[in-house]
Each structure stands twice: as C-alpha cells, then as structure tokens.
Coordinates of all heavy atoms in Angstrom, one line a residue:
P1223 N -19.3 0.8 1.0 CA -20.2 1.7 1.7 C -19.6 3.1 1.7 O -18.4 3.2 1.6 CB -20.2 1.1 3.1 CG -19.1 0.2 3.2 CD -18.8 -0.2 1.8
P1224 N -20.4 4.1 1.9 CA -19.9 5.5 1.9 C -19.1 5.8 3.2 O -19.2 5.1 4.2 CB -21.2 6.3 1.9 CG -22.2 5.4 2.5 CD -21.8 4.0 2.1
V1225 N -18.2 6.8 3.1 CA -17.4 7.2 4.2 C -18.3 7.7 5.3 O -19.2 8.5 5.0 CB -16.4 8.2 3.8 CG1 -15.6 8.7 5.0 CG2 -15.5 7.7 2.7
V1226 N -18.1 7.3 6.5 CA -19.0 7.7 7.6 C -18.2 8.8 8.4 O -17.2 8.6 8.9 CB -19.2 6.5 8.6 CG1 -20.0 6.9 9.8 CG2 -19.8 5.3 7.9
D1227 N -18.8 10.0 8.4 CA -18.2 11.2 9.0 C -18.9 11.7 10.2 O -18.4 12.4 11.0 CB -18.0 12.3 7.9 CG -16.9 12.0 7.0 OD1 -16.0 11.3 7.3 OD2 -17.0 12.5 5.8
D1228 N -20.2 11.5 10.3 CA -21.0 12.1 11.4 C -20.8 11.3 12.7 O -20.5 10.1 12.7 CB -22.4 12.3 11.0 CG -23.2 11.0 10.9 OD1 -22.7 10.0 11.3 OD2 -24.4 11.1 10.4
E1229 N -21.0 12.0 13.8 CA -20.8 11.4 15.1 C -21.9 10.4 15.4 O -21.8 9.7 16.4 CB -20.7 12.5 16.1 CG -19.5 13.4 15.9 CD -19.5 14.5 16.9 OE1 -20.2 14.5 17.9 OE2 -18.7 15.4 16.7
S1230 N -23.0 10.4 14.7 CA -24.2 9.5 15.0 C -24.1 8.1 14.4 O -25.0 7.4 14.5 CB -25.5 10.2 14.6 OG -25.5 10.3 13.2
S1231 N -22.9 7.8 13.8 CA -22.8 6.6 13.1 C -22.7 5.4 14.1 O -22.3 5.6 15.2 CB -21.6 6.5 12.2 OG -20.4 6.7 13.0
S1232 N -23.3 4.3 13.7 CA -23.3 3.1 14.6 C -21.9 2.5 14.7 O -21.1 2.6 13.8 CB -24.3 2.1 14.1 OG -23.8 1.5 13.0
P1233 N -21.6 1.8 15.8 CA -20.4 1.1 15.9 C -20.1 0.1 14.7 O -19.0 -0.1 14.3 CB -20.5 0.3 17.2 CG -21.4 1.1 18.0 CD -22.4 1.7 17.0
E1234 N -21.2 -0.5 14.2 CA -21.1 -1.5 13.1 C -20.7 -0.7 11.9 O -19.8 -1.2 11.1 CB -22.5 -2.1 12.9 CG -22.4 -3.1 11.7 CD -23.8 -3.8 11.4 OE1 -24.6 -4.0 12.4 OE2 -24.1 -4.0 10.2
E1235 N -21.2 0.5 11.6 CA -20.8 1.2 10.4 C -19.3 1.6 10.5 O -18.6 1.6 9.6 CB -21.6 2.5 10.2 CG -23.0 2.2 9.8 CD -23.9 3.4 9.8 OE1 -23.7 4.3 10.6 OE2 -24.8 3.5 8.9
E1236 N -18.9 2.0 11.7 CA -17.5 2.4 12.0 C -16.6 1.3 11.8 O -15.5 1.4 11.2 CB -17.3 3.0 13.3 CG -18.0 4.4 13.5 CD -17.9 5.0 14.9 OE1 -17.1 4.5 15.7 OE2 -18.6 6.0 15.1
H1237 N -17.0 0.1 12.3 CA -16.1 -1.1 12.1 C -16.0 -1.5 10.6 O -14.9 -1.8 10.1 CB -16.8 -2.3 12.9 CG -16.0 -3.6 12.6 ND1 -14.8 -3.8 13.2 CD2 -16.4 -4.7 11.9 CE1 -14.4 -5.0 12.8 NE2 -15.3 -5.6 12.0
R1238 N -17.1 -1.4 9.9 CA -17.1 -1.7 8.5 C -16.2 -0.8 7.7 O -15.4 -1.1 6.8 CB -18.5 -1.7 7.9 CG -18.6 -2.2 6.5 CD -20.1 -2.4 6.0 NE -20.9 -1.3 6.4 CZ -22.1 -1.4 7.0 NH1 -22.6 -2.6 7.2 NH2 -22.9 -0.4 7.3
C1239 N -16.3 0.5 8.1 CA -15.5 1.5 7.4 C -14.0 1.3 7.7 O -13.1 1.4 6.9 CB -15.9 2.9 7.9 SG -15.3 4.3 6.9
S1240 N -13.7 0.9 9.0 CA -12.3 0.7 9.4 C -11.8 -0.5 8.7 O -10.6 -0.5 8.2 CB -12.3 0.4 10.9 OG -11.0 0.1 11.3
C1241 N -12.6 -1.6 8.5 CA -12.1 -2.8 7.8 C -11.8 -2.4 6.3 O -10.8 -2.9 5.7 CB -13.1 -3.9 7.9 SG -13.2 -4.6 9.5
S1242 N -12.7 -1.7 5.7 CA -12.5 -1.3 4.3 C -11.3 -0.4 4.2 O -10.5 -0.6 3.2 CB -13.7 -0.5 3.8 OG -14.9 -1.3 3.8
A1243 N -11.0 0.4 5.1 CA -9.8 1.3 5.1 C -8.6 0.4 5.2 O -7.6 0.7 4.5 CB -9.8 2.3 6.3
K1244 N -8.6 -0.6 5.9 CA -7.4 -1.5 6.0 C -7.2 -2.3 4.7 O -6.0 -2.5 4.3 CB -7.6 -2.5 7.2 CG -7.4 -1.7 8.5 CD -7.6 -2.7 9.7 CE -7.3 -1.9 11.0 NZ -8.5 -1.4 11.6
V1245 N -8.3 -2.6 4.0 CA -8.1 -3.3 2.7 C -7.5 -2.3 1.7 O -6.6 -2.6 1.0 CB -9.5 -3.8 2.2 CG1 -9.4 -4.3 0.8 CG2 -10.0 -4.9 3.1
L1246 N -8.0 -1.0 1.8 CA -7.4 0.0 0.9 C -5.9 0.2 1.3 O -5.1 0.4 0.4 CB -8.1 1.3 1.1 CG -9.5 1.4 0.4 CD1 -10.1 2.7 0.7 CD2 -9.3 1.2 -1.1
Q1247 N -5.5 0.2 2.5 CA -4.1 0.3 2.9 C -3.3 -0.8 2.3 O -2.2 -0.5 1.7 CB -4.0 0.2 4.4 CG -2.5 0.3 4.9 CD -2.4 0.0 6.3 OE1 -3.2 -0.6 7.0 NE2 -1.3 0.5 6.9
A1248 N -3.8 -2.0 2.3 CA -3.1 -3.1 1.7 C -2.9 -2.9 0.2 O -1.9 -3.2 -0.4 CB -3.8 -4.5 2.0
Y1249 N -4.0 -2.5 -0.4 CA -4.0 -2.2 -1.9 C -3.0 -1.1 -2.2 O -2.2 -1.2 -3.2 CB -5.4 -1.8 -2.3 CG -5.6 -1.6 -3.8 CD1 -5.0 -2.4 -4.7 CD2 -6.3 -0.5 -4.2 CE1 -5.1 -2.1 -6.1 CE2 -6.5 -0.2 -5.6 CZ -5.9 -1.0 -6.5 OH -6.0 -0.8 -7.8
A1250 N -2.9 -0.1 -1.3 CA -2.0 1.0 -1.6 C -0.6 0.5 -1.5 O 0.3 0.9 -2.3 CB -2.2 2.1 -0.5
L1251 N -0.3 -0.3 -0.5 CA 1.1 -0.9 -0.4 C 1.4 -1.8 -1.6 O 2.5 -1.8 -2.1 CB 1.2 -1.7 0.9 CG 1.1 -0.9 2.2 CD1 1.0 -1.8 3.4 CD2 2.3 0.0 2.3
F1252 N 0.4 -2.5 -2.1 CA 0.6 -3.3 -3.3 C 1.0 -2.4 -4.5 O 1.9 -2.7 -5.3 CB -0.7 -4.1 -3.6 CG -0.7 -4.8 -4.9 CD1 0.0 -6.0 -5.1 CD2 -1.3 -4.3 -6.0 CE1 0.0 -6.7 -6.3 CE2 -1.3 -4.9 -7.2 CZ -0.6 -6.1 -7.4
E1253 N 0.2 -1.4 -4.7 CA 0.5 -0.5 -5.8 C 1.9 0.2 -5.7 O 2.6 0.4 -6.6 CB -0.6 0.6 -5.9 CG -1.9 0.1 -6.4 CD -1.9 -0.5 -7.8 OE1 -1.0 -0.2 -8.6 OE2 -2.9 -1.2 -8.2
M1254 N 2.2 0.6 -4.4 CA 3.5 1.2 -4.2 C 4.6 0.2 -4.6 O 5.6 0.5 -5.2 CB 3.7 1.6 -2.7 CG 5.0 2.3 -2.4 SD 5.1 3.9 -3.2 CE 4.0 4.9 -2.3
K1255 N 4.5 -1.1 -4.2 CA 5.5 -2.1 -4.4 C 5.6 -2.3 -6.0 O 6.7 -2.7 -6.4 CB 5.1 -3.4 -3.8 CG 6.0 -4.5 -3.9 CD 7.1 -4.4 -3.0 CE 8.0 -5.7 -3.0 NZ 9.2 -5.6 -2.2
N1256 N 4.6 -2.1 -6.7 CA 4.6 -2.2 -8.1 C 5.0 -1.0 -8.9 O 4.8 -0.9 -10.1 CB 3.3 -2.8 -8.6 CG 3.1 -4.2 -8.3 OD1 3.9 -5.1 -8.8 ND2 2.2 -4.6 -7.4
G1257 N 5.4 0.1 -8.1 CA 5.9 1.3 -8.8 C 4.9 2.3 -9.1 O 5.2 3.3 -9.8
H1258 N 3.7 2.2 -8.6 CA 2.7 3.2 -8.9 C 2.5 4.1 -7.7 O 1.5 4.1 -7.0 CB 1.3 2.5 -9.3 CG 1.5 1.5 -10.4 ND1 0.6 0.5 -10.6 CD2 2.4 1.4 -11.3 CE1 1.0 -0.2 -11.6 NE2 2.1 0.3 -12.1
S1259 N 3.5 5.0 -7.5 CA 3.5 5.8 -6.2 C 2.4 6.8 -6.2 O 1.8 7.0 -5.1 CB 4.9 6.4 -6.0 OG 5.2 7.2 -7.2
N1260 N 2.0 7.4 -7.2 CA 0.9 8.4 -7.2 C -0.4 7.8 -6.9 O -1.2 8.3 -6.1 CB 0.9 9.2 -8.5 CG 2.1 10.2 -8.6 OD1 2.6 10.6 -7.6 ND2 2.4 10.5 -9.8
K1261 N -0.7 6.7 -7.6 CA -1.9 5.9 -7.4 C -2.0 5.4 -5.9 O -3.0 5.5 -5.3 CB -2.0 4.8 -8.4 CG -3.2 3.9 -8.2 CD -3.3 2.8 -9.3 CE -4.6 2.0 -9.2 NZ -4.6 1.0 -10.3
S1262 N -0.8 4.9 -5.4 CA -0.8 4.4 -4.1 C -1.0 5.5 -3.1 O -1.8 5.3 -2.1 CB 0.6 3.8 -3.8 OG 0.8 3.4 -2.5
L1263 N -0.5 6.7 -3.3 CA -0.7 7.8 -2.4 C -2.2 8.2 -2.3 O -2.7 8.5 -1.3 CB 0.2 9.0 -2.8 CG 0.1 10.2 -1.9 CD1 0.6 9.9 -0.5 CD2 0.9 11.4 -2.5
E1264 N -2.8 8.3 -3.5 CA -4.2 8.6 -3.6 C -5.1 7.6 -2.8 O -6.0 7.9 -2.0 CB -4.7 8.6 -5.0 CG -6.1 9.0 -5.2 CD -6.5 8.9 -6.7 OE1 -5.7 9.3 -7.6 OE2 -7.6 8.5 -7.0
I1265 N -4.7 6.3 -2.9 CA -5.5 5.2 -2.2 C -5.3 5.3 -0.7 O -6.2 5.2 0.1 CB -5.0 3.8 -2.8 CG1 -5.5 3.7 -4.2 CG2 -5.6 2.7 -1.9 CD1 -4.8 2.5 -4.9
I1266 N -4.0 5.5 -0.3 CA -3.8 5.6 1.2 C -4.4 6.8 1.8 O -4.9 6.8 2.9 CB -2.3 5.5 1.5 CG1 -2.1 5.1 3.0 CG2 -1.5 6.7 1.2 CD1 -2.6 3.8 3.4
R1267 N -4.5 7.9 1.1 CA -5.1 9.1 1.6 C -6.6 8.8 1.8 O -7.2 9.3 2.8 CB -4.9 10.3 0.7 CG -3.5 10.9 0.8 CD -3.3 12.0 -0.1 NE -2.0 12.7 0.1 CZ -1.4 13.5 -0.7 NH1 -2.0 13.7 -1.9 NH2 -0.3 14.0 -0.4
R1268 N -7.2 8.1 0.9 CA -8.6 7.7 1.0 C -8.8 6.8 2.2 O -9.8 7.0 3.0 CB -9.1 7.0 -0.3 CG -10.6 6.7 -0.2 CD -11.1 6.0 -1.4 NE -11.0 7.0 -2.5 CZ -11.2 6.7 -3.8 NH1 -11.5 5.5 -4.2 NH2 -11.1 7.7 -4.7
A1269 N -7.9 5.9 2.4 CA -8.0 5.0 3.6 C -7.9 5.8 4.9 O -8.7 5.5 5.8 CB -6.9 3.9 3.5
V1270 N -7.0 6.8 4.9 CA -6.9 7.6 6.1 C -8.1 8.4 6.4 O -8.5 8.6 7.6 CB -5.6 8.5 6.1 CG1 -5.6 9.5 7.2 CG2 -4.4 7.6 6.1
R1271 N -8.8 8.9 5.4 CA -10.1 9.6 5.6 C -11.1 8.7 6.2 O -12.0 9.1 6.9 CB -10.6 10.2 4.2 CG -9.8 11.4 3.8 CD -10.5 12.2 2.7 NE -10.9 11.3 1.5 CZ -10.1 11.2 0.5 NH1 -8.9 11.8 0.4 NH2 -10.5 10.4 -0.5
M1272 N -11.0 7.4 5.8 CA -12.0 6.4 6.4 C -11.7 6.0 7.8 O -12.5 5.7 8.6 CB -12.1 5.2 5.4 CG -12.6 5.5 4.1 SD -12.4 4.1 2.9 CE -13.7 3.1 3.6
D1273 N -10.3 5.9 8.1 CA -9.9 5.5 9.4 C -8.7 6.3 9.8 O -7.6 6.0 9.3 CB -9.6 4.0 9.4 CG -9.2 3.4 10.7 OD1 -9.0 4.2 11.7 OD2 -9.0 2.2 10.8
E1274 N -8.8 7.2 10.7 CA -7.7 8.1 11.1 C -6.6 7.3 11.8 O -5.5 7.8 11.9 CB -8.2 9.2 12.1 CG -8.9 10.4 11.3 CD -7.9 11.2 10.5 OE1 -6.8 11.4 11.0 OE2 -8.3 11.6 9.4
G1275 N -6.9 6.1 12.3 CA -5.9 5.3 12.9 C -4.8 4.9 12.0 O -3.7 4.5 12.4
L1276 N -5.0 5.0 10.7 CA -4.0 4.7 9.7 C -3.1 5.9 9.3 O -2.2 5.7 8.5 CB -4.7 4.2 8.4 CG -5.5 2.9 8.5 CD1 -6.2 2.6 7.2 CD2 -4.7 1.7 9.0
R1277 N -3.3 7.0 9.9 CA -2.6 8.2 9.6 C -1.1 8.0 9.7 O -0.3 8.6 8.8 CB -3.0 9.4 10.4 CG -2.3 10.7 10.1 CD -3.0 11.9 10.6 NE -4.2 12.2 9.9 CZ -4.4 12.7 8.7 NH1 -3.3 13.0 8.0 NH2 -5.6 12.9 8.2
P1278 N -0.5 7.3 10.6 CA 0.9 7.1 10.7 C 1.6 6.5 9.4 O 2.7 6.8 9.1 CB 1.1 6.1 11.9 CG 0.0 6.4 12.8 CD -1.2 6.7 11.8
V1279 N 0.8 5.8 8.6 CA 1.3 5.3 7.4 C 1.8 6.4 6.4 O 2.7 6.2 5.7 CB 0.2 4.4 6.7 CG1 0.7 3.9 5.3 CG2 -0.2 3.2 7.6
L1280 N 1.1 7.5 6.5 CA 1.5 8.7 5.7 C 2.9 9.2 6.0 O 3.6 9.8 5.2 CB 0.5 9.8 5.8 CG -0.9 9.5 5.2 CD1 -1.8 10.7 5.6 CD2 -0.8 9.3 3.7
G1281 N 3.4 8.8 7.1 CA 4.8 9.2 7.5 C 5.9 8.2 7.0 O 7.0 8.5 7.2
W1282 N 5.4 7.1 6.5 CA 6.4 6.1 5.9 C 7.1 6.7 4.8 O 6.6 7.5 4.0 CB 5.7 4.8 5.5 CG 5.1 4.1 6.6 CD1 5.1 4.4 8.0 CD2 4.4 2.8 6.5 NE1 4.4 3.4 8.7 CE2 3.9 2.5 7.8 CE3 4.0 2.0 5.4 CZ2 3.2 1.3 8.1 CZ3 3.3 0.9 5.7 CH2 2.9 0.5 7.0
K1283 N 8.4 6.4 4.6 CA 9.3 7.0 3.6 C 8.7 7.0 2.2 O 8.7 8.0 1.5 CB 10.7 6.4 3.6 CG 11.6 7.1 2.7 CD 13.0 6.5 2.7 CE 14.0 7.2 1.9 NZ 13.6 8.0 0.8
Q1284 N 8.2 5.9 1.8 CA 7.7 5.8 0.4 C 6.5 6.7 0.2 O 6.4 7.3 -0.9 CB 7.4 4.4 0.0 CG 6.3 3.7 0.8 CD 6.9 2.8 1.9 OE1 7.7 3.2 2.6 NE2 6.3 1.6 2.0
F1285 N 5.7 6.9 1.2 CA 4.5 7.8 1.1 C 4.9 9.3 1.2 O 4.4 10.2 0.5 CB 3.4 7.5 2.0 CG 2.7 6.2 1.7 CD1 2.9 5.1 2.6 CD2 2.0 6.0 0.6 CE1 2.3 3.8 2.3 CE2 1.4 4.8 0.3 CZ 1.6 3.7 1.1
R1286 N 5.9 9.6 2.1 CA 6.5 10.9 2.1 C 7.1 11.3 0.8 O 6.9 12.4 0.3 CB 7.5 11.0 3.3 CG 7.0 11.0 4.7 CD 8.1 11.4 5.7 NE 9.4 11.0 5.4 CZ 10.0 9.9 5.9 NH1 9.4 9.1 6.7 NH2 11.3 9.6 5.6
D1287 N 7.9 10.4 0.2 CA 8.5 10.7 -1.1 C 7.5 10.9 -2.1 O 7.6 11.9 -2.9 CB 9.4 9.5 -1.5 CG 10.7 9.4 -0.7 OD1 11.0 10.4 0.1 OD2 11.4 8.4 -0.8
A1288 N 6.4 10.1 -2.2 CA 5.4 10.3 -3.2 C 4.7 11.6 -3.0 O 4.4 12.3 -4.0 CB 4.4 9.1 -3.1
A1289 N 4.4 12.0 -1.7 CA 3.7 13.3 -1.5 C 4.6 14.5 -1.9 O 4.1 15.5 -2.3 CB 3.4 13.4 0.0
A1290 N 5.9 14.3 -1.8 CA 6.9 15.3 -2.2 C 7.2 15.3 -3.7 O 8.0 16.1 -4.2 CB 8.2 15.2 -1.4
G1291 N 6.5 14.4 -4.4 CA 6.7 14.3 -5.9 C 7.9 13.5 -6.3 O 8.3 13.4 -7.4
R1292 N 8.6 12.8 -5.3 CA 9.7 11.9 -5.6 C 9.1 10.5 -5.9 O 8.2 10.1 -5.2 CB 10.7 11.9 -4.5 CG 11.4 13.2 -4.3 CD 12.4 13.1 -3.2 NE 11.9 12.7 -1.9 CZ 11.5 13.6 -1.0 NH1 11.6 14.9 -1.2 NH2 11.1 13.2 0.2
E1293 N 9.6 9.9 -6.9 CA 9.1 8.5 -7.2 C 9.7 7.5 -6.4 O 11.0 7.4 -6.3 CB 9.3 8.3 -8.7 CG 8.5 7.0 -9.2 CD 8.3 7.0 -10.6 OE1 8.4 8.0 -11.3 OE2 8.2 5.8 -11.2
F1294 N 9.0 6.6 -5.9 CA 9.5 5.4 -5.1 C 9.8 4.3 -6.1 O 9.0 4.0 -7.0 CB 8.4 4.9 -4.1 CG 8.8 3.6 -3.4 CD1 9.8 3.7 -2.4 CD2 8.2 2.4 -3.8 CE1 10.1 2.5 -1.7 CE2 8.6 1.3 -3.1 CZ 9.5 1.3 -2.1
V1295 N 11.0 3.8 -6.1 CA 11.5 2.8 -7.0 C 11.6 1.5 -6.1 O 12.5 1.4 -5.3 CB 12.8 3.1 -7.6 CG1 13.2 1.9 -8.5 CG2 12.7 4.4 -8.4
P1296 N 10.7 0.5 -6.3 CA 10.8 -0.7 -5.5 C 12.0 -1.5 -5.8 O 12.5 -1.5 -7.0 CB 9.5 -1.4 -5.9 CG 9.1 -0.9 -7.2 CD 9.6 0.5 -7.3
K1297 N 12.5 -2.2 -4.8 CA 13.6 -3.1 -5.0 C 13.1 -4.4 -5.4 O 12.2 -4.9 -4.8 CB 14.4 -3.2 -3.7 CG 15.1 -2.0 -3.3 CD 15.9 -2.2 -2.0 CE 16.5 -0.9 -1.6 NZ 17.3 -1.0 -0.3
V1298 N 13.6 -5.0 -6.5 CA 13.2 -6.3 -7.0 C 14.3 -7.3 -6.5 O 15.5 -7.1 -6.8 CB 13.1 -6.3 -8.5 CG1 12.7 -7.7 -9.0 CG2 12.1 -5.2 -8.9
R1299 N 13.8 -8.3 -5.8 CA 14.8 -9.3 -5.4 C 14.6 -10.6 -6.2 O 13.5 -11.0 -6.5 CB 14.5 -9.6 -3.9 CG 14.8 -8.5 -3.0 CD 14.6 -8.9 -1.6 NE 14.8 -7.7 -0.8 CZ 14.7 -7.7 0.5 NH1 14.5 -8.8 1.2 NH2 14.9 -6.6 1.2
C1300 N 15.7 -11.1 -6.7 CA 15.7 -12.3 -7.4 C 16.3 -13.4 -6.6 O 17.2 -13.2 -5.8 CB 16.4 -12.2 -8.7 SG 15.7 -10.9 -9.8
R1301 N 15.8 -14.6 -6.8 CA 16.4 -15.7 -6.0 C 17.7 -16.1 -6.7 O 18.0 -15.9 -7.9 CB 15.5 -16.9 -5.9 CG 15.2 -17.6 -7.2 CD 14.3 -18.8 -7.0 NE 14.1 -19.5 -8.2 CZ 14.9 -20.4 -8.8 NH1 16.1 -20.6 -8.2 NH2 14.6 -21.0 -9.9
K1302 N 18.6 -16.6 -5.9 CA 19.9 -17.1 -6.4 C 19.8 -18.3 -7.3 O 19.0 -19.2 -7.0 CB 20.8 -17.4 -5.2 CG 22.2 -17.7 -5.5 CD 23.0 -18.0 -4.3 CE 24.4 -18.4 -4.6 NZ 25.2 -18.7 -3.4
L1303 N 20.5 -18.3 -8.4 CA 20.4 -19.5 -9.2 C 21.2 -20.7 -8.6 O 22.2 -20.5 -8.0 CB 21.1 -19.1 -10.6 CG 20.4 -18.1 -11.5 CD1 21.2 -17.9 -12.7 CD2 19.0 -18.7 -11.9
E1304 N 20.6 -21.8 -8.8 CA 21.3 -23.1 -8.4 C 22.3 -23.4 -9.4 O 22.3 -22.9 -10.5 CB 20.2 -24.2 -8.3 CG 19.1 -23.9 -7.3 CD 19.6 -23.9 -5.9 OE1 20.6 -24.5 -5.5 OE2 18.9 -23.1 -5.1
K1305 N 23.3 -24.2 -9.0 CA 24.4 -24.6 -9.9 C 23.9 -25.2 -11.2 O 24.4 -24.8 -12.3 CB 25.3 -25.6 -9.2 CG 26.1 -25.1 -8.1 CD 27.0 -26.2 -7.5 CE 27.8 -25.6 -6.4 NZ 28.7 -26.6 -5.7
W1306 N 22.9 -26.0 -11.2 CA 22.4 -26.6 -12.4 C 21.6 -25.6 -13.3 O 21.4 -25.8 -14.5 CB 21.5 -27.8 -12.1 CG 20.3 -27.5 -11.3 CD1 20.2 -27.4 -10.0 CD2 19.0 -27.1 -11.8 NE1 18.9 -27.1 -9.6 CE2 18.1 -26.9 -10.7 CE3 18.4 -27.0 -13.1 CZ2 16.8 -26.5 -10.8 CZ3 17.1 -26.6 -13.2 CH2 16.3 -26.4 -12.0
E1307 N 21.3 -24.4 -12.8 CA 20.6 -23.4 -13.5 C 21.6 -22.3 -14.1 O 21.1 -21.4 -14.8 CB 19.6 -22.6 -12.7 CG 18.5 -23.5 -12.2 CD 17.5 -22.8 -11.3 OE1 18.0 -22.2 -10.3 OE2 16.3 -22.7 -11.6
V1308 N 22.8 -22.4 -13.9 CA 23.8 -21.4 -14.4 C 23.7 -21.4 -15.9 O 23.6 -22.4 -16.6 CB 25.2 -21.8 -13.9 CG1 26.3 -20.9 -14.6 CG2 25.3 -21.8 -12.4
G1309 N 23.7 -20.2 -16.4 CA 23.5 -19.9 -17.8 C 22.1 -19.6 -18.2 O 21.8 -19.1 -19.3
Q1310 N 21.1 -19.8 -17.3 CA 19.8 -19.4 -17.5 C 19.5 -18.0 -16.9 O 20.3 -17.6 -16.1 CB 18.8 -20.4 -16.8 CG 18.9 -21.8 -17.4 CD 18.0 -22.8 -16.7 OE1 17.1 -22.4 -16.0 NE2 18.2 -24.1 -16.9
E1311 N 18.4 -17.4 -17.2 CA 18.1 -16.1 -16.6 C 17.6 -16.3 -15.2 O 17.0 -17.3 -14.8 CB 17.0 -15.4 -17.4 CG 17.4 -15.0 -18.8 CD 16.3 -14.3 -19.5 OE1 15.5 -13.6 -18.9 OE2 16.3 -14.3 -20.8
A1312 N 17.9 -15.3 -14.4 CA 17.4 -15.3 -13.0 C 15.9 -15.1 -13.0 O 15.4 -14.5 -13.8 CB 18.1 -14.2 -12.2
R1313 N 15.3 -15.8 -12.0 CA 13.8 -15.7 -11.9 C 13.5 -14.8 -10.7 O 14.0 -15.0 -9.6 CB 13.2 -17.1 -11.6 CG 13.4 -18.0 -12.8 CD 12.7 -19.3 -12.5 NE 13.1 -20.3 -13.5 CZ 13.1 -21.6 -13.3 NH1 12.7 -22.1 -12.1 NH2 13.4 -22.4 -14.3
C1314 N 12.7 -13.8 -11.0 CA 12.3 -12.8 -9.9 C 11.0 -13.2 -9.4 O 10.2 -13.8 -9.9 CB 12.2 -11.4 -10.5 SG 13.8 -10.9 -11.1

C-alpha cells in the first residue's frame, strides 16, 4: 500500500503502514547483516518514512556508519569444530 501521510487516514491504514514498516526494518537488518549497507540504509529510511516510531533505529551504529559513508562489515561466527571433525573446514 502507498505511504499514508495525510492526517485523515484511518487507524486501519496507519496500522497496515506501521506493520509494513516493521517488515522493511527486518529486511534492512537482514541486508545489513549480509554486508549491503547502502541498500540497508535506503530500506530503513523508507521504513522510517512509513512509521516515525522506527526513527531510533537510524541512531544504531551500523546505520550511522552507513549514512556517513563507512561500510559496515558484519562479523561472521563459525561454530567450533568437534574433535572428530578436526581437519575439515569450519562451517559457518
């Protein structure tokens, strides 16, 4: 649905817009985690336009860095190899 900006919008439209914004927020975090900081920033800004309640997310370090042109590098965690797996590659 389109972004609802006028004051005459119904509570149902506002709720739908807010729910969509939260889905976009989750998608932005997913993209950030996968190293796509510029795409993530664009998505989260769209989400904030839809729901101002999400504005604090723009203050999170990874989004501040992306807005300043610094690239966010996600940390990749690998599980510890079991004794019987020694000599094999770690699985992430």
Side-chain angles (χ1 to χ4, degrees):
V1225 176
V1226 179
D1227 285 332
D1228 69 13
E1229 295 176 14
S1230 64
S1231 61
S1232 73
E1234 181 182 324
E1235 288 173 327
E1236 289 178 15
H1237 175 73
R1238 187 172 42 227
C1239 197
S1240 177
C1241 289
S1242 297
K1244 288 179 176 95
V1245 171
L1246 284 178
Q1247 176 190 22
Y1249 181 45
L1251 292 170
F1252 171 80
E1253 290 296 344
M1254 183 65 75
K1255 182 80 173 175
N1256 285 295
H1258 305 160
S1259 54
N1260 290 333
K1261 181 177 183 180
S1262 178
L1263 183 61
E1264 181 181 324
I1265 294 167
I1266 197 63
R1267 284 178 173 162
R1268 181 177 297 171
V1270 169
R1271 283 194 307 269
M1272 294 171 75
D1273 181 356
E1274 280 291 320
L1276 298 177
R1277 183 162 293 283
V1279 175
L1280 293 173
W1282 294 1
K1283 184 178 183 339
Q1284 63 263 44
F1285 291 112
R1286 288 193 323 262
D1287 287 351
R1292 296 184 296 269
E1293 189 162 336
F1294 175 74
V1295 179
K1297 294 180 181 178
V1298 177
R1299 296 183 184 182
C1300 297
R1301 70 175 180 80
K1302 185 177 176 181
L1303 291 176
E1304 300 295 329
K1305 287 182 182 178
W1306 60 273
E1307 294 177 306
V1308 174
Q1310 298 179 16
E1311 292 184 29
R1313 295 182 189 156
C1314 296

